[in-house]
Amino acid sequence: MDGTRHVLVVDDEDDFVDMMRVLLELERFQVSSSSSAPSAVRRVCDGLAPDIVLLDFRMPVLDGGDALRRMRSCGLSSPAILVSGTRDIRDQAVLHGFDAWVQKPFDFGTLLGAIDHCLGSA
């Protein structure tokens, strides 16, 4: 792909996923999404290889931290950003090995800054 970065957005709130898709595509990202953590884990384990993953924390069945751990065990080496409204977001991000975190609600520029930081100049 011609420099386009691939983002996987995982959140159980469909409206949030739809909004992220529109905003990220306007910034020229390719966007894949999943409305459940188990589905996202399955897709990554089946070979989906995003450049970066945006994960909510509090989701039914499997939280974002466990989802990231399972994705890593399937070989995901891409950076992951915890995007959540949980009050202890920094602690959860550090505990579960996220590369960055963005507290909901957020300014889209803040999220883009975290994505740029995680992707670096690669």
Side-chain angles (χ1 to χ4, degrees):
M1 218 177 291
D2 56 6
T4 301
R5 295 305 185 105
H6 182 194
V7 179
L8 173 59
V9 178
V10 185
D11 197 298
D12 60 321
E13 296 179 26
D14 291 333
D15 289 343
F16 178 79
V17 171
D18 292 343
M19 177 188 68
M20 293 306 303
R21 175 180 297 283
V22 169
L23 292 173
L24 289 166
E25 286 177 348
L26 286 172
E27 294 294 326
R28 307 252 190 272
F29 287 94
Q30 175 189 354
V31 180
S32 296
S33 63
S34 185
S35 60
S36 79
S39 170
V41 169
R42 214 172 13 261
R43 291 176 70 194
V44 167
C45 290
D46 286 345
L48 182 68
D51 295 303
I52 192 163
V53 179
L54 308 181
L55 268 164
D56 186 18
F57 190 74
R58 296 191 196 284
M59 293 183 282
V61 182
L62 188 65
D63 70 40
D66 288 333
L68 180 59
R69 180 182 51 78
R70 291 179 187 192
M71 289 178 189
R72 297 269 189 240
S73 73
C74 287
L76 179 76
S77 60
S78 305
I81 300 175
L82 180 59
V83 181
S84 181
T86 186
R87 275 192 267 147
D88 59 344
I89 188 169
R90 185 179 87 62
D91 295 339
Q92 293 298 335
V94 170
L95 176 68
H96 293 285
F98 284 88
D99 299 277
W101 60 89
V102 175
Q103 178 91 38
K104 288 179 183 176
F106 57 84
D107 175 81
F108 187 62
T110 301
L111 179 63
L112 284 178
I115 291 171
D116 286 345
H117 175 76
C118 286
L119 292 176
S121 59

